[in-house]
Amino acid sequence: MSGHWGILVSDPSLQNQFTQVELRSLKTHFMSMRRESGKLVIADLASKMSRLKVVGENLSEEERGSYVKDLYQNTDEEVDFELFLKVYLKLQTFANSRTGSSPKNSSAFLKAATTTLLHTISESEKSSYVTHINHYLSQDEFLKKYLPIDPSSNELFEVAKDGVLLCKLINVAVPGTIDERAINTKRLLNPWERNENHTLCLNSAKAIGCTVVNIGTQDFIEGRRHLVLGVISQIIKIQLLADLNLKKTPQLLELLDDSKDMEELMNLPPEKILLRWMNFHLKKSEYKKIVSNFSSDVKDAEAYAHLLNILAPEYTNPSTLAVKNPFERAKLVLEHSDKMGCKRYLTAKDIVEGSPNLNLAFVAHIFQHRNGLTDQTKQISLLQALPDDTEDSREERAFRLWINSLGNSTYINNVFEDLRNGWILLETLEKVSTGIVNWKIANKPPIKMPFKKVENCNQVVKIGKQLKFSLVNVAGNDIVQGNKKLILAYLWQLMRYNILQLLKNLRFHARGKEITDADILEWANSKVSSTGSQSSMNSFKDKRLSDGIFFLELLSSVQPRAVNWGLVTKGVKDEEKKMNASYIISIARKLGCSIFLLPEDITEVNQKMILTLTASIMYWFLKHPHEERTVGISDSESGSQLETTSNSTLDDSASDSSVDENGNV
């Protein structure tokens, strides 16, 4: 499957500028841009390249357009992939020259190897993340011998090479994500064991909401610094923003002017809630501006000074707002936060330079330490009076993680809100079935006119019917209106279709025959039976599955060394069942299954999750040759693209949704 990409570029000068992982990522962006308008010409690149890092972040569309016009006279020329790369490299050099390097070098970019420009990392960010790791993992028994890591060195990337550090960090961010019994923690790991740890890490990172498309286990083993730091950054961000929701911090209701705003607040991403919290407190001060980002709006440190004066007035220093120099003011702000007991995460230089990641971390830590909100009985009781939608929440979580794992153009925070314009659904459909979307009639965000959203969603419904989904009396406007039941029903059917298509493609001996739920059930029972076990499952809702033994036997049958039976419980008591379920999920991820289910989905025998778990294991088995399984390869290096894109599309994001076994609403 990894051979699908072939030789991406023939020009040696271009090959030298990128790793294969980067080329695959850029190829995906290029194909997506071309599909949107049918063809891609030079004139389109100024707007289309806004989604690319460095180029999109540091140059405005006008700057990109002007620069491209200076380079190419004929802006109507159609762009192939190699021309796309050349324009990208030149724009990237131009962007880098604007942020520090000499502009004289930009025209000579392709004449010399300048790979370092593509792999620059922020030393400030690295230092901050190392400090975070040293603090939160200092008591870990296994990591004690490696910590503390020196923030000024590259020691972090060496320690991360065996995969243990990243697995442990994921469990700090979202406790219980990885069953630590599944981590290989010998002092000296062989290549397969190290590879298994990284496979477990990558699939677990996806399961908590990280975007790891086009990152493979080999990138960690080789210590590719920008990729390792990118994953660490996402994991730490998830940890720092974990409390920014009404479930964890019901006091956030104080931010509302009206109870009608509650649903809006519940649907906001954590970063937006953090900004809203910050502005809520700033209103109480003399600061009259609105902070809308964690970069340019906080560079002068004035907002920070006012915020900390409100939250911790006992440490107020009159000099902070009196000084004219932003750098000096930033230093005083950090002194104030130190007195509050807040860990810094950044320096005064990071504040005045507007480092978005570090400023976000700084504000999130202030929120965790002292949010300045009060327990208002009336508002808390209002929250408790809301209908219990645990089922919908678990299902929404699973679908959201699945969709984000595909590497679409936009990260979604809530499927009921973020899918309503139809665009991400169209992108997801395209990932599942290439060429199925008619991009000529699709409307790209931002979409101001409601009927344009309906047009997108009408195409989503039309394609669903084409794929034989059960969509009786469903119209595009139902999605635009955010009808939860219908959105969940559609997504379940889309995921199930994807799973069955992937299995059909691998089972070449099926000769075009559709794969059914019954085929997956039969395969699982035959694999377990082949080991001499008497275990079986009658259906995907067989209550006997709750103890986890059947799935442990299934995992052991496809990879004999996968399960350490000395760690398995009898699965009689509820706690024993949960321990087995947790172990199953981590072992499956360690093999290479990108799955999103929770232990409860196994112990409660959620039939849709059980189906996708079984299918995921079946997919892994069919994908790996017998000789690889016997030596213990869990995620082939050449297959990293599949594991982070195609494989992620098959796995367990389903849950016990509001549709029946056949996908009917």
Side-chain angles (χ1 to χ4, degrees), residues 541-574:
K541 53 184 177 181
D542 188 335
K543 292 301 179 185
R544 294 177 300 166
L545 298 173
S546 66
D547 64 10
I549 302 298
F550 178 84
F551 287 108
L552 289 164
E553 291 183 334
L554 179 60
L555 287 164
S556 187
S557 74
V558 300
Q559 171 53 283
R561 59 183 289 275
V563 178
N564 180 347
W565 287 98
L567 301 175
V568 176
T569 75
K570 292 181 180 179
V572 177
K573 299 176 181 177
D574 287 346

Side-chain angles (χ1 to χ4, degrees), residues 366-383:
I366 292 171
F367 175 86
Q368 283 185 341
H369 191 75
R370 189 180 296 198
N371 62 38
L373 302 173
T374 58
D375 290 321
Q376 296 189 16
T377 309
K378 182 181 177 183
Q379 290 183 329
I380 303 302
S381 61
L382 182 64
L383 185 63

Side-chain angles (χ1 to χ4, degrees), residues 381-410:
S381 61
L382 182 64
L383 185 63
Q384 291 170 341
L386 286 176
D388 181 14
D389 62 348
T390 305
E391 187 174 312
D392 281 359
S393 296
R394 270 174 52 185
E395 197 166 327
E396 186 277 332
R397 168 197 170 275
F399 289 134
R400 169 167 40 86
L401 293 169
W402 172 62
I403 291 170
N404 284 332
S405 76
L406 304 182
N408 289 317
S409 63
T410 304

Side-chain angles (χ1 to χ4, degrees), residues 206 213 400-407 594 596 644-645 648-649:
K206 280 187 276 189
V213 174
R400 169 167 40 86
L401 293 169
W402 172 62
I403 291 170
N404 284 332
S405 76
L406 304 182
S594 173
F596 303 105
T644 54
T645 54
S648 64
T649 66

Side-chain angles (χ1 to χ4, degrees), residues 517-558:
D517 295 5
D519 292 327
I520 299 170
L521 185 71
E522 181 186 357
W523 172 84
N525 280 324
S526 68
K527 288 305 298 177
V528 171
S529 176
S530 70
T531 67
S533 170
Q534 299 301 309
S535 296
S536 65
M537 62 172 166
N538 294 329
S539 71
F540 296 114
K541 53 184 177 181
D542 188 335
K543 292 301 179 185
R544 294 177 300 166
L545 298 173
S546 66
D547 64 10
I549 302 298
F550 178 84
F551 287 108
L552 289 164
E553 291 183 334
L554 179 60
L555 287 164
S556 187
S557 74
V558 300

Side-chain angles (χ1 to χ4, degrees), residues 428-623:
T428 303
L429 283 161
E430 183 71 22
K431 300 264 185 189
V432 168
S433 183
T434 305
I436 202 165
V437 176
N438 182 353
W439 292 107
K440 292 181 180 178
I441 61 170
N443 303 293
K444 184 182 177 184
I447 304 172
K448 294 181 180 178
M449 304 299 290
F451 76 90
K452 295 285 187 183
K453 298 178 183 178
V454 175
E455 285 178 354
N456 280 354
C457 292
N458 281 342
Q459 186 178 180
V460 168
V461 173
K462 182 181 177 183
I463 293 171
K465 291 178 178 177
Q466 184 182 327
L467 298 177
K468 298 185 170 56
F469 293 176
S470 176
L471 296 168
V472 180
N473 298 323
V474 177
N477 196 48
D478 293 315
I479 298 173
V480 176
Q481 295 300 318
N483 186 312
K484 292 183 178 181
K485 182 180 177 183
L486 295 179
I487 290 172
L488 293 177
Y490 189 98
L491 289 176
W492 161 243
Q493 293 181 88
L494 177 57
M495 179 179 296
R496 182 175 172 276
Y497 171 83
N498 184 216
I499 293 167
L500 299 179
Q501 286 302 111
L502 286 168
L503 288 172
K504 176 184 172 183
N505 292 340
L506 282 181
R507 288 189 69 176
F508 56 89
H509 57 274
R511 302 184 187 282
K513 178 176 174 275
E514 296 297 328
I515 300 295
T516 65
D517 295 5
D519 292 327
I520 299 170
L521 185 71
E522 181 186 357
W523 172 84
N525 280 324
S526 68
K527 288 305 298 177
V528 171
S529 176
S530 70
T531 67
S533 170
Q534 299 301 309
S535 296
S536 65
M537 62 172 166
N538 294 329
S539 71
F540 296 114
K541 53 184 177 181
D542 188 335
K543 292 301 179 185
R544 294 177 300 166
L545 298 173
S546 66
D547 64 10
I549 302 298
F550 178 84
F551 287 108
L552 289 164
E553 291 183 334
L554 179 60
L555 287 164
S556 187
S557 74
V558 300
Q559 171 53 283
R561 59 183 289 275
V563 178
N564 180 347
W565 287 98
L567 301 175
V568 176
T569 75
K570 292 181 180 179
V572 177
K573 299 176 181 177
D574 287 346
E575 187 57 33
E576 291 177 339
K577 291 180 178 181
K578 188 171 182 181
M579 286 176 69
N580 283 351
S582 173
Y583 191 48
I584 288 165
I585 292 169
S586 289
I587 290 298
R589 286 178 180 147
K590 186 175 173 180
L591 279 183
C593 302
S594 173
I595 52 180
F596 303 105
L597 78 169
L598 296 169
E600 302 94 286
D601 294 311
I602 296 176
T603 58
E604 295 172 12
V605 194
N606 179 325
Q607 69 181 80
K608 292 183 174 64
M609 288 291 200
I610 295 295
L611 166 62
T612 49
L613 172 61
T614 312
S616 172
I617 299 168
M618 181 179 179
Y619 180 81
W620 182 87
F621 174 81
L622 294 174
K623 178 176 163 288

